Amino acid sequence: MRVKFWGTRGSIATPGPETVIYGGNTSCVELRCGSDILIFDAGTGLRPLGVELMSEFAGKPITVHLFISHTHWDHIQGFPFFIPAYSPLTTIHVYGSTGQGVPLEKVLRGQMNADYFPVALGDMNATLHVHEFKAKPFEIGEATVNAMYLNHPGMTLGYRVEYAGKSFVYATDNEPYQHTLEHLGQRAETGRDFGQDLDREFVKFIAGADFYIGEAQYTDAEYPERIGWGHSSISATVDVAIEAQVGTLAFFHHDPLHDDKAVEAMADTAQRLITDRGAMLQCFPAREGQVVEL
Amino acid sequence: MEKSLVIIENDESLLDVSAFYFSEQGWDVHTAVDGHHGVQLALERKPSAIICDIIMGEMHGFDVLRTLRARPETKDTVIIITSAKAYKPDIDRALELGATAYVVKPFRTDELLALIEQHLATPRGPAP
């Protein structure tokens, strides 16, 4: 497995001198499993990935498997700018959940409505296959893919891939249920307990993963003011990774208000937590352009 | 006439607890653990009320709601969405799609029963 981060930012693209280290493009991660190309999310990082694929394949057919976590802007806005989608030699398999009562293809088509973009989805020349979530593991070549719903407004999926004895998890835009049910539900205490049970299901989903891309949009100081926004604090994500005994956590979906120094300060917080707990977890902030071999 | 209920819920322990409680209260209860079977069951049984979860494999609750509201058999049935999703956009969307009410988990079954009884006593229909 080879992982490459093409976009690590959450919410909105954040270019500029203060984000040059960790990057300004929104969510997009490439995973190579042998010759199979899996892509997680189509944020603005998908555009440079498309440029790279056109160069690599140089006129040969391209097949990609694009996994959409959910259809908020920062996870789909790169799709209209994915150059391989305009080539008749490209086949794109898109995977994701239906929206809230709306088919996935209709949501993707909607962002390319003439009011927003000059080319319609149907005018792209690539062959597009849309596969909606069926709650069963499935194979792509030698890789096995599983998915589970996360806690975020809308229908949001996290994915787990097993390939050649290694496991990879991509689970962004996720907030612990124990916090939302304690603060937004009808019953604080029973809500927290009920939420903890649900959070344990997520721990099981990522358990033992070699590489976990998990979101940590907020510092611990910021999170209390953002409960109910659908994201996690750095401590919450590190704690889950330790409990699940994952090998490496790349924290992801950096907040647009966090410059490189702020992201590095969060990495320091994470490292202190890991040391305090005597855990073996490796942890770093996901950086645009970074390649990790598993 | 006996009141009937379809419960669509993928948490089987919660499903069992709710089914037992409503049965004890004299309801004719039918259950499904995913959205596809829940829709089939609701269309076959035409129950007095439906309780439906959101996060389920094989068709989530928003799609169940959209499907059932598009069918004449269930367009006016009391449908209570119960979910651990506590976000306002999710609640708003469920109500837009025609949910009678949205209850954030965990809930008390006696309160859920009272809510259903209240809505059954207030027929749905266009505002005057």
Side-chain angles (χ1 to χ4, degrees):
Chain A
M1 278 184 180
R2 192 192 71 182
V3 180
K4 184 167 182 179
F5 292 97
W6 291 92
T8 61
R9 192 64 52 179
S11 305
I12 190 167
T14 314
E18 295 183 335
T19 57
V20 287
I21 297 175
Y22 295 102
N25 277 309
T26 58
S27 303
C28 182
V29 175
E30 177 189 6
L31 176 68
R32 294 285 179 109
C33 296
S35 59
D36 290 312
I37 304 170
L38 283 64
I39 302 168
F40 294 88
D41 275 333
T44 62
L46 186 67
R47 190 198 64 79
L49 169 55
V51 173
E52 178 83 3
L53 289 173
M54 293 302 282
S55 170
E56 178 183 340
F57 283 82
K60 295 178 195 151
I62 303 173
T63 297
V64 300
H65 300 270
L66 173 59
F67 294 84
I68 302 291
S69 64
H70 63 307
T71 55
H72 287 164
W73 282 346
D74 51 329
H75 299 263
I76 61 168
Q77 271 189 321
F79 190 77
F81 298 91
F82 185 52
I83 297 173
Y86 293 87
S87 164
L89 297 177
T90 299
T91 301
I92 304 173
H93 294 272
V94 180
Y95 306 83
S97 174
T98 56
Q100 293 166 301
V102 184
L104 175 59
E105 184 170 351
K106 189 173 179 185
V107 180
L108 295 175
R109 194 178 295 284
Q111 80 157 343
M112 297 178 73
N113 181 292
D115 289 327
Y116 309 116
F117 196 72
V119 182
L121 183 71
D123 291 335
M124 289 174 140
N125 293 318
T127 302
L128 190 69
H129 301 282
V130 177
H131 309 270
E132 291 180 336
F133 177 58
K134 297 292 181 205
K136 292 188 181 104
F138 59 96
E139 314 289 326
I140 293 174
E142 299 292 313
T144 303
V145 182
N146 267 290
M148 85 171 277
Y149 280 114
L150 306 179
N151 191 31
H152 188 73
M155 300 310 293
T156 303
L157 289 168
Y159 297 98
R160 178 173 180 135
V161 181
E162 314 283 343
Y163 174 77
K166 297 287 184 185
S167 47
F168 162 97
V169 172
Y170 177 85
T172 187
D173 294 58
N174 188 30
E175 183 170 14
Y177 280 105
Q178 59 193 287
H179 300 313
T180 56
L181 294 179
E182 180 178 0
H183 294 277
L184 307 181
Q186 301 297 311
R187 296 176 176 80
E189 196 171 326
T190 54
R192 187 180 61 239
D193 294 344
F194 187 80
Q196 284 172 343
D197 289 343
L198 295 175
D199 293 335
R200 275 192 276 277
E201 294 301 309
F202 180 68
V203 171
K204 284 184 204 164
F205 180 71
I206 69 169
D210 294 290
F211 195 73
Y212 164 41
I213 299 173
E215 79 128 286
Q217 182 147 346
Y218 303 128
T219 66
D220 295 346
E222 290 166 338
Y223 179 65
E225 298 298 315
R226 290 162 173 75
I227 291 172
W229 290 22
H231 297 288
S232 295
S233 68
I234 184 69
S235 291
T237 297
V238 168
D239 280 340
V240 163
I242 291 172
E243 188 180 349
Q245 297 188 303
V246 306
T248 299
L249 163 66
F251 71 86
F252 184 78
H253 210 264
H254 306 310
D255 191 271
L257 292 172
H258 291 171
D259 60 15
D260 290 327
K261 284 183 182 168
V263 173
E264 279 164 8
M266 290 174 73
D268 291 342
T269 301
Q271 199 51 57
R272 276 197 300 277
L273 278 168
I274 293 164
T275 303
D276 288 350
R277 284 160 176 65
M280 301 293 290
L281 176 69
Q282 301 292 309
C283 177
F284 61 86
R287 177 171 55 78
E288 190 173 313
Q290 183 175 16
V291 176
V292 178
E293 296 281 352
L294 299 181
Chain B
M1 194 175 79
E2 187 180 41
K3 286 174 280 192
S4 60
L5 179 69
V6 164
I7 308 176
I8 311 169
E9 168 63 69
N10 74 339
D11 177 339
E12 294 192 36
S13 57
L14 180 57
L15 183 64
D16 289 345
V17 167
S18 299
F20 179 77
Y21 177 80
F22 278 89
S23 297
E24 287 287 296
Q25 299 299 316
W27 289 64
D28 177 27
V29 179
H30 302 271
T31 62
V33 294
D34 67 65
H36 276 302
H37 288 105
V39 167
Q40 287 172 8
L41 200 56
L43 295 175
E44 278 168 26
R45 296 283 173 179
K46 302 181 190 66
S48 320
I50 297 165
I51 298 171
C52 182
D53 187 15
I54 289 183
I55 293 183
M56 298 181 286
E58 295 290 337
M59 196 172 197
H60 58 63
F62 291 110
D63 284 340
V64 170
L65 197 48
R66 179 177 57 111
T67 305
L68 292 179
R69 284 300 185 229
R71 294 291 297 255
E73 302 94 317
T74 48
K75 72 181 174 57
D76 293 322
T77 306
V78 168
I79 302 179
I80 309 292
I81 295 291
T82 58
S83 178
K85 287 172 74 66
Y87 297 110
K88 185 174 182 298
D90 293 323
I91 297 169
D92 290 347
R93 178 55 67 92
L95 296 174
E96 277 171 30
L97 288 169
T100 310
Y102 189 112
V103 176
V104 175
K105 293 178 182 176
F107 53 82
R108 283 178 46 166
T109 42
D110 58 340
E111 291 179 2
L112 193 60
L113 171 63
L115 181 68
I116 291 171
E117 298 275 16
Q118 175 197 325
H119 283 288
L120 284 175
T122 313
R124 281 169 57 91

PDB file of all heavy atoms in Angstrom, chain A residues 34-51:
ATOM      1  N   GLY A  34      -1.301  -2.200  -5.051  1.00  0.00           N
ATOM      2  CA  GLY A  34      -0.781  -2.757  -6.294  1.00  0.00           C
ATOM      3  C   GLY A  34      -1.066  -1.784  -7.406  1.00  0.00           C
ATOM      4  O   GLY A  34      -0.772  -0.585  -7.300  1.00  0.00           O
ATOM      5  N   SER A  35      -1.728  -2.276  -8.472  1.00  0.00           N
ATOM      6  CA  SER A  35      -2.025  -1.382  -9.597  1.00  0.00           C
ATOM      7  C   SER A  35      -3.376  -0.675  -9.439  1.00  0.00           C
ATOM      8  O   SER A  35      -3.736   0.157 -10.268  1.00  0.00           O
ATOM      9  CB  SER A  35      -2.002  -2.173 -10.915  1.00  0.00           C
ATOM     10  OG  SER A  35      -2.967  -3.204 -10.855  1.00  0.00           O
ATOM     11  N   ASP A  36      -4.118  -1.025  -8.410  1.00  0.00           N
ATOM     12  CA  ASP A  36      -5.431  -0.397  -8.233  1.00  0.00           C
ATOM     13  C   ASP A  36      -5.288   0.966  -7.559  1.00  0.00           C
ATOM     14  O   ASP A  36      -4.531   1.126  -6.596  1.00  0.00           O
ATOM     15  CB  ASP A  36      -6.347  -1.295  -7.396  1.00  0.00           C
ATOM     16  CG  ASP A  36      -6.766  -2.537  -8.166  1.00  0.00           C
ATOM     17  OD1 ASP A  36      -7.185  -2.397  -9.333  1.00  0.00           O
ATOM     18  OD2 ASP A  36      -6.629  -3.654  -7.621  1.00  0.00           O
ATOM     19  N   ILE A  37      -6.049   1.919  -8.094  1.00  0.00           N
ATOM     20  CA  ILE A  37      -5.987   3.298  -7.581  1.00  0.00           C
ATOM     21  C   ILE A  37      -7.273   3.605  -6.832  1.00  0.00           C
ATOM     22  O   ILE A  37      -8.361   3.648  -7.427  1.00  0.00           O
ATOM     23  CB  ILE A  37      -5.813   4.301  -8.744  1.00  0.00           C
ATOM     24  CG1 ILE A  37      -4.573   3.959  -9.565  1.00  0.00           C
ATOM     25  CG2 ILE A  37      -5.741   5.733  -8.195  1.00  0.00           C
ATOM     26  CD1 ILE A  37      -4.468   4.750 -10.864  1.00  0.00           C
ATOM     27  N   LEU A  38      -7.150   3.783  -5.534  1.00  0.00           N
ATOM     28  CA  LEU A  38      -8.293   4.154  -4.700  1.00  0.00           C
ATOM     29  C   LEU A  38      -8.084   5.612  -4.284  1.00  0.00           C
ATOM     30  O   LEU A  38      -6.961   6.006  -3.930  1.00  0.00           O
ATOM     31  CB  LEU A  38      -8.379   3.263  -3.455  1.00  0.00           C
ATOM     32  CG  LEU A  38      -8.926   1.826  -3.634  1.00  0.00           C
ATOM     33  CD1 LEU A  38      -8.038   0.962  -4.509  1.00  0.00           C
ATOM     34  CD2 LEU A  38      -9.112   1.158  -2.276  1.00  0.00           C
ATOM     35  N   ILE A  39      -9.139   6.376  -4.321  1.00  0.00           N
ATOM     36  CA  ILE A  39      -9.061   7.786  -3.936  1.00  0.00           C
ATOM     37  C   ILE A  39     -10.136   8.042  -2.883  1.00  0.00           C
ATOM     38  O   ILE A  39     -11.293   7.632  -3.062  1.00  0.00           O
ATOM     39  CB  ILE A  39      -9.299   8.712  -5.153  1.00  0.00           C
ATOM     40  CG1 ILE A  39      -8.270   8.425  -6.261  1.00  0.00           C
ATOM     41  CG2 ILE A  39      -9.243  10.182  -4.734  1.00  0.00           C
ATOM     42  CD1 ILE A  39      -8.601   9.085  -7.590  1.00  0.00           C
ATOM     43  N   PHE A  40      -9.759   8.702  -1.824  1.00  0.00           N
ATOM     44  CA  PHE A  40     -10.714   8.994  -0.757  1.00  0.00           C
ATOM     45  C   PHE A  40     -11.007  10.484  -0.756  1.00  0.00           C
ATOM     46  O   PHE A  40     -10.146  11.301  -0.443  1.00  0.00           O
ATOM     47  CB  PHE A  40     -10.175   8.496   0.594  1.00  0.00           C
ATOM     48  CG  PHE A  40     -10.078   7.005   0.599  1.00  0.00           C
ATOM     49  CD1 PHE A  40      -8.928   6.381   0.136  1.00  0.00           C
ATOM     50  CD2 PHE A  40     -11.158   6.215   0.963  1.00  0.00           C
ATOM     51  CE1 PHE A  40      -8.851   5.003   0.069  1.00  0.00           C
ATOM     52  CE2 PHE A  40     -11.089   4.840   0.893  1.00  0.00           C
ATOM     53  CZ  PHE A  40      -9.928   4.225   0.447  1.00  0.00           C
ATOM     54  N   ASP A  41     -12.187  10.805  -1.163  1.00  0.00           N
ATOM     55  CA  ASP A  41     -12.754  12.143  -1.238  1.00  0.00           C
ATOM     56  C   ASP A  41     -12.220  12.955  -2.423  1.00  0.00           C
ATOM     57  O   ASP A  41     -11.128  12.723  -2.935  1.00  0.00           O
ATOM     58  CB  ASP A  41     -12.607  12.923   0.065  1.00  0.00           C
ATOM     59  CG  ASP A  41     -13.750  12.609   1.038  1.00  0.00           C
ATOM     60  OD1 ASP A  41     -14.841  12.237   0.549  1.00  0.00           O
ATOM     61  OD2 ASP A  41     -13.564  12.727   2.255  1.00  0.00           O
ATOM     62  N   ALA A  42     -13.083  13.848  -2.840  1.00  0.00           N
ATOM     63  CA  ALA A  42     -12.838  14.629  -4.049  1.00  0.00           C
ATOM     64  C   ALA A  42     -12.823  16.106  -3.719  1.00  0.00           C
ATOM     65  O   ALA A  42     -13.408  16.938  -4.407  1.00  0.00           O
ATOM     66  CB  ALA A  42     -13.926  14.317  -5.086  1.00  0.00           C
ATOM     67  N   GLY A  43     -12.130  16.449  -2.619  1.00  0.00           N
ATOM     68  CA  GLY A  43     -11.915  17.862  -2.314  1.00  0.00           C
ATOM     69  C   GLY A  43     -10.988  18.479  -3.345  1.00  0.00           C
ATOM     70  O   GLY A  43     -10.632  17.844  -4.343  1.00  0.00           O
ATOM     71  N   THR A  44     -10.563  19.702  -3.101  1.00  0.00           N
ATOM     72  CA  THR A  44      -9.779  20.402  -4.137  1.00  0.00           C
ATOM     73  C   THR A  44      -8.438  19.718  -4.411  1.00  0.00           C
ATOM     74  O   THR A  44      -7.828  19.946  -5.456  1.00  0.00           O
ATOM     75  CB  THR A  44      -9.554  21.878  -3.769  1.00  0.00           C
ATOM     76  OG1 THR A  44      -8.795  21.957  -2.542  1.00  0.00           O
ATOM     77  CG2 THR A  44     -10.876  22.613  -3.589  1.00  0.00           C
ATOM     78  N   GLY A  45      -7.983  18.868  -3.512  1.00  0.00           N
ATOM     79  CA  GLY A  45      -6.761  18.098  -3.771  1.00  0.00           C
ATOM     80  C   GLY A  45      -6.898  17.133  -4.926  1.00  0.00           C
ATOM     81  O   GLY A  45      -5.900  16.638  -5.457  1.00  0.00           O
ATOM     82  N   LEU A  46      -8.133  16.843  -5.345  1.00  0.00           N
ATOM     83  CA  LEU A  46      -8.325  15.923  -6.484  1.00  0.00           C
ATOM     84  C   LEU A  46      -7.796  16.527  -7.785  1.00  0.00           C
ATOM     85  O   LEU A  46      -7.391  15.793  -8.680  1.00  0.00           O
ATOM     86  CB  LEU A  46      -9.818  15.589  -6.619  1.00  0.00           C
ATOM     87  CG  LEU A  46     -10.166  14.529  -7.666  1.00  0.00           C
ATOM     88  CD1 LEU A  46      -9.618  13.148  -7.272  1.00  0.00           C
ATOM     89  CD2 LEU A  46     -11.684  14.432  -7.862  1.00  0.00           C
ATOM     90  N   ARG A  47      -7.813  17.859  -7.889  1.00  0.00           N
ATOM     91  CA  ARG A  47      -7.352  18.489  -9.135  1.00  0.00           C
ATOM     92  C   ARG A  47      -5.876  18.173  -9.422  1.00  0.00           C
ATOM     93  O   ARG A  47      -5.563  17.624 -10.491  1.00  0.00           O
ATOM     94  CB  ARG A  47      -7.591  20.004  -9.091  1.00  0.00           C
ATOM     95  CG  ARG A  47      -7.364  20.692 -10.430  1.00  0.00           C
ATOM     96  CD  ARG A  47      -7.185  22.188 -10.263  1.00  0.00           C
ATOM     97  NE  ARG A  47      -6.001  22.508  -9.499  1.00  0.00           N
ATOM     98  CZ  ARG A  47      -4.764  22.501  -9.981  1.00  0.00           C
ATOM     99  NH1 ARG A  47      -4.540  22.197 -11.244  1.00  0.00           N
ATOM    100  NH2 ARG A  47      -3.739  22.794  -9.202  1.00  0.00           N
ATOM    101  N   PRO A  48      -4.949  18.460  -8.499  1.00  0.00           N
ATOM    102  CA  PRO A  48      -3.558  18.097  -8.800  1.00  0.00           C
ATOM    103  C   PRO A  48      -3.338  16.589  -8.948  1.00  0.00           C
ATOM    104  O   PRO A  48      -2.468  16.171  -9.723  1.00  0.00           O
ATOM    105  CB  PRO A  48      -2.769  18.674  -7.619  1.00  0.00           C
ATOM    106  CG  PRO A  48      -3.763  18.985  -6.558  1.00  0.00           C
ATOM    107  CD  PRO A  48      -5.062  19.258  -7.259  1.00  0.00           C
ATOM    108  N   LEU A  49      -4.118  15.780  -8.250  1.00  0.00           N
ATOM    109  CA  LEU A  49      -4.001  14.329  -8.449  1.00  0.00           C
ATOM    110  C   LEU A  49      -4.360  13.971  -9.897  1.00  0.00           C
ATOM    111  O   LEU A  49      -3.701  13.140 -10.536  1.00  0.00           O
ATOM    112  CB  LEU A  49      -4.916  13.576  -7.458  1.00  0.00           C
ATOM    113  CG  LEU A  49      -5.113  12.074  -7.707  1.00  0.00           C
ATOM    114  CD1 LEU A  49      -3.787  11.311  -7.781  1.00  0.00           C
ATOM    115  CD2 LEU A  49      -5.993  11.458  -6.603  1.00  0.00           C
ATOM    116  N   GLY A  50      -5.403  14.615 -10.423  1.00  0.00           N
ATOM    117  CA  GLY A  50      -5.790  14.365 -11.817  1.00  0.00           C
ATOM    118  C   GLY A  50      -4.681  14.727 -12.792  1.00  0.00           C
ATOM    119  O   GLY A  50      -4.416  13.997 -13.754  1.00  0.00           O
ATOM    120  N   VAL A  51      -4.028  15.850 -12.536  1.00  0.00           N
ATOM    121  CA  VAL A  51      -2.913  16.272 -13.398  1.00  0.00           C
ATOM    122  C   VAL A  51      -1.813  15.210 -13.373  1.00  0.00           C
ATOM    123  O   VAL A  51      -1.268  14.812 -14.407  1.00  0.00           O
ATOM    124  CB  VAL A  51      -2.368  17.646 -12.928  1.00  0.00           C
ATOM    125  CG1 VAL A  51      -1.102  18.016 -13.700  1.00  0.00           C
ATOM    126  CG2 VAL A  51      -3.435  18.727 -13.074  1.00  0.00           C
TER     127      VAL A  51
END
